[in-house]
Amino acid sequence: MSKYCYVYALRFLKENQFYVGLTTDLLVRVQQHNNGLVTSTKKRVPFELIDWEGCLSESDEAQREQSQKRMGERHIKTRFT
């Protein structure tokens, strides 16, 4: 059985900005972000997980991540602020 792939969105509480990422283990990745172990987000802790979606195809999910990064921030801001 294939592993699920997840596109997720975080909101950083200090600056009300967003981060979109891709992972195959959502719980571990969220913990890594929260513990400051991810280079791109370690200076922005704390955060909250505000959205995620899963897919069986990693290539489909990678395309979805890029789409979220290009157009998704506007969508995320509208939906969660």
Side-chain angles (χ1 to χ4, degrees), residues 24-67:
T24 56
D25 193 333
L26 185 59
L27 295 177
V28 169
R29 192 61 172 167
V30 169
Q31 289 175 342
Q32 289 171 338
H33 281 290
N34 198 36
N35 292 330
L37 301 175
V38 179
T39 304
S40 59
T41 61
K42 68 182 179 182
K43 294 182 181 181
R44 299 191 203 174
V45 175
F47 69 89
E48 62 184 339
L49 178 66
I50 59 170
D51 194 25
W52 61 271
E53 59 184 60
C55 185
L56 285 174
S57 168
E58 191 170 342
S59 63
D60 288 347
E61 215 48 31
Q63 289 175 356
R64 180 71 175 142
E65 177 194 25
Q66 291 305 313
S67 172

